[in-house]
Amino acid sequence: MKRIDVIPMPNKVEYLGGETKIDPQNLSVTVCDTMDEEEYILVVEKDGVKITGGSEKAVFYGRQTLRQLGEVCPCVRIEDKPSFRYRGFMLDTVRHIFSIEDTKKLIDAAASVKMNVMHWHLTDDQGFRIYSSRRPDATFKGSVRKSSDFGRLKESGEYGGYFTAEEMKEIVDYCAERYITVIPEFDVPGHSSALLHAYPELSCKGEPVEIKTSQGIYDDILCAGKDKTFDVIFDILSDILEIFPSEYIHIGGDEAPKKRWQECPDCQKRMQKEGLRDEETLQGWFTNKIVEFLKSKGRKAIVWNESLNSGVTDRSVTVQMWMDKKKLSVDFANDGGVMINSDFFHYYCDYPYGMTPLIKTYNYNPVHRKIKDKNTVAGVEAPIWTEYINNFEHLCHMFFPRVTAVAETGWTEEKNKDAADFQRRFRIYSDILKEIGITPAQPEEWNPSVFDRAVKTVKFFSGIAKRKN
Ligand code: ACM
Ligand code: ZN
């Protein structure tokens, strides 16, 4: 008997016998408020199709499943709801910019597999891509770098651009129509060379800072001792809040070296005044100040896991784990906090398939064995950083099918997952990606042999190494 070939695999499927040709006109839809917000029941019978959902969003998910059933499908009753409430992808449009049109294609693909978050990485060392009406210098001075030097992607000319408020709203609306929340990221206090280029007075030394042209972790970060730092951050956040209605705003917090803060009289004075024992604690204080600001506006913060290093970070934040040797994110979740899993070794889709084969991504269990309550893991997110990706075709090759595997982990319960079956189903699902305008990596590239893995990984790292010419 023909089975259903849906991604993500629904959690409960009952075959009713026989098959039917689906008539899209013969569809009845009901919203039932006793069901969960993302839960739907889809019944396909000879006399028609019924979708019952806990909300309009759930009905939308029922429709996504229906779309993948094809024209002729077995009679089935599908009872389905997600394993995790947060199912996201992250797009870096700083290192390289991706157009609104291409971004919409990613959103279409995400919606088709029931993802519900787009994390938009908009500020970093290599550019500031948000139009800020309150601080236009951040945009106009911070959005153009002199050149680009990302290994083999070396370009001598200026590179820049930013998203207008209208463009960002267009993405917010496009996502909302697909029940996806856009979470913008304004990364502070590190990864802020572009902002410091516009406002050198916000650095500890007060000296000019260049917008960076290559990948790295840079010593100049926002000064925590100067009050103007917070004036500028709050102004930019105020602009962000007007554009993005999401409950959560991502405020970064990753890879912030403490060298400047150690040497800065203003930062040292701040530590003394606030009774902070070291510079890590100063970052905790810095984060909490922004968290308070967001709270006053009815919003909450997401932070990368380094923000937990101080041990004083407000419990209301959600931590996004990416590289966390000490498992502070797990401790945080076990101690009343909430985490999102974006594990570097499994979910970073900018690394080659040789390093992160599809089945490694697929089989990863985002609930660490030391997590006491699965509910403290809000869910999963697949990031794609774009230092080494400068066109949409390459982006799609790296992202698909791995992002789709993360979507299935976000939706389908561990016990219902099957890597071989996922790979079979993905070949069928690829038709939808084709309709959207996305070309995934080919099956022979998904899981390279051990030898090929070594070769591809070495090739990737030699490709990103700095070239002399
Ligand atoms: C990160 O990859 N620096 C979050
Ligand atoms: Zn300072």
Side-chain angles (χ1 to χ4, degrees):
M1 185 182 62
K2 188 174 177 309
R3 317 287 291 180
I4 62 164
D5 300 312
V6 176
I7 292 181
M9 191 60 196
N11 282 303
K12 191 167 171 207
V13 182
E14 188 188 343
Y15 290 92
L16 304 174
E19 58 179 37
T20 186
K21 189 165 185 319
I22 290 175
D23 172 6
Q25 304 306 319
N26 195 359
L27 166 67
S28 85
V29 166
T30 316
V31 173
C32 164
D33 56 18
T34 57
M35 290 167 70
D36 289 354
E37 198 214 345
E38 295 194 306
E39 177 181 16
Y40 71 91
I41 298 171
L42 168 65
V43 182
V44 178
E45 286 181 308
K46 290 204 161 54
D47 59 357
V49 178
K50 280 196 211 106
I51 297 176
T52 313
S55 64
E56 292 295 340
K57 180 185 194 184
V59 169
F60 178 82
Y61 291 153
R63 288 183 191 274
Q64 301 317 305
T65 301
L66 181 61
R67 178 182 181 192
Q68 291 191 40
L69 291 179
E71 274 173 40
V72 178
C73 122
C75 297
V76 279
R77 177 186 167 86
I78 296 171
E79 279 181 42
D80 203 13
K81 60 179 175 180
S83 185
F84 293 96
R85 60 189 178 278
Y86 184 111
R87 305 176 299 279
F89 72 98
M90 190 215 80
L91 177 65
D92 169 13
T93 49
V94 172
R95 278 57 177 259
H96 287 102
I97 299 168
F98 291 87
S99 70
I100 297 294
E101 283 321 300
D102 284 340
T103 303
K104 285 181 179 174
K105 293 178 194 165
L106 297 178
I107 295 163
D108 283 340
S112 76
V113 289
K114 307 182 180 75
M115 282 186 141
N116 61 6
V117 174
M118 170 177 150
H119 168 183
W120 201 359
H121 187 76
L122 287 162
T123 72
D124 214 300
D125 295 304
Q126 298 80 4
F128 188 93
R129 308 259 174 257
I130 300 171
Y131 173 68
S132 169
S133 65
R134 290 172 177 82
R135 296 284 177 177
D137 279 355
T139 313
F140 297 133
K141 294 187 180 167
S143 59
V144 184
R145 61 177 179 255
K146 285 187 179 146
S147 60
S148 303
D149 187 5
F150 300 113
R152 66 185 168 75
L153 299 183
K154 194 168 157 67
E155 284 163 55
S156 56
E158 278 188 351
Y159 183 94
Y162 61 88
F163 296 103
T164 64
E166 289 67 35
E167 286 171 328
M168 291 184 281
K169 280 184 196 149
E170 192 179 330
I171 289 295
V172 167
D173 291 346
Y174 196 81
C175 278
E177 284 160 18
R178 289 152 184 80
Y179 300 93
I180 291 175
T181 302
V182 185
I183 298 182
E185 180 180 353
F186 173 25
D187 198 348
V188 293
H191 286 290
S192 50
S193 304
L195 184 59
L196 289 173
H197 179 72
Y199 296 96
E201 65 273 28
L202 307 186
S203 69
C204 289
K205 292 174 123 186
E207 291 170 4
V209 174
E210 285 300 304
I211 303 181
K212 300 299 185 277
T213 56
S214 48
Q215 183 183 28
I217 299 173
Y218 299 97
D219 284 342
D220 284 309
I221 67 172
L222 289 162
C223 178
K226 299 187 176 75
D227 290 341
K228 186 171 176 192
T229 298
F230 296 97
D231 295 344
V232 172
I233 291 176
F234 295 162
D235 275 352
I236 292 169
L237 278 174
S238 298
D239 284 324
I240 288 174
L241 299 186
E242 282 171 11
I243 295 164
F244 297 95
S246 55
E247 182 184 7
Y248 288 90
I249 303 295
H250 205 305
I251 55 167
D254 56 322
E255 299 178 319
K258 301 298 175 307
K259 187 170 186 304
R260 294 283 185 266
W261 285 6
Q262 281 159 2
E263 294 161 357
C264 171
D266 294 326
C267 285
Q268 293 302 315
K269 209 156 50 180
R270 178 81 78 194
M271 282 166 57
Q272 233 175 16
K273 181 164 169 248
E274 300 292 337
L276 308 170
R277 68 177 176 274
D278 56 17
E279 288 72 18
E280 281 300 342
T281 319
L282 181 57
Q283 185 171 343
W285 175 88
F286 184 104
T287 303
N288 288 348
K289 214 164 147 60
I290 303 174
V291 168
E292 282 309 311
F293 174 82
L294 289 174
K295 258 191 208 169
S296 75
K297 309 285 180 196
R299 311 289 186 103
K300 294 181 181 164
I302 299 181
V303 294
W304 295 108
N305 61 253
E306 293 94 318
S307 300
L308 297 182
N309 290 347
S310 68
V312 301
T313 307
D314 195 281
R315 303 266 117 190
S316 71
V317 306
T318 290
V319 65
Q320 183 165 15
M321 194 283 282
W322 73 282
M323 175 94 75
D324 184 11
K325 283 202 196 91
K326 291 192 197 144
K327 302 281 174 280
L328 295 181
S329 313
V330 171
D331 294 344
F332 182 72
N334 284 339
D335 190 24
V338 174
M339 68 177 279
I340 296 160
N341 197 323
S342 288
D343 186 73
F344 171 86
F345 296 101
H346 297 87
Y347 285 177
Y348 269 39
C349 293
D350 41 314
Y351 284 84
Y353 286 87
M355 187 173 130
T356 312
L358 174 60
I359 51 171
K360 183 174 168 189
T361 301
Y362 185 86
N363 284 332
Y364 178 62
N365 183 347
V367 182
H368 189 270
R369 63 191 161 73
K370 288 200 172 146
I371 288 281
K372 291 186 195 139
D373 173 4
K374 183 192 164 213
N375 277 320
T376 60
V377 181
V380 291
E381 185 182 297
I384 190 145
W385 301 94
T386 60
E387 286 93 339
Y388 306 106
I389 300 174
N390 70 347
N391 64 73
F392 190 63
E393 207 182 1
H394 187 197
L395 186 102
C396 292
H397 179 267
M398 300 304 278
F399 222 8
F400 297 89
R402 290 184 291 196
V403 66
T404 316
V406 176
E408 177 144 310
T409 299
W411 185 278
T412 307
E413 288 183 20
E414 189 66 15
K415 66 177 192 312
N416 296 328
K417 284 177 63 190
D418 178 326
D421 192 54
F422 169 78
Q423 291 174 87
R424 182 189 65 78
R425 281 178 283 121
F426 187 83
R427 289 164 162 85
I428 299 158
Y429 165 78
S430 292
D431 285 349
I432 288 181
L433 290 181
K434 197 169 167 193
E435 269 174 44
I436 295 170
I438 285 176
T439 308
Q442 293 308 297
E444 60 276 15
E445 299 173 272
W446 298 347
N447 301 298
S449 67
V450 175
F451 177 75
D452 269 5
R453 285 188 62 178
V455 171
K456 286 187 160 71
T457 305
V458 169
K459 196 168 154 213
F460 174 77
F461 283 102
S462 62
I464 70 174
K466 278 205 172 175
R467 296 272 163 80
K468 291 245 160 34
N469 50 25

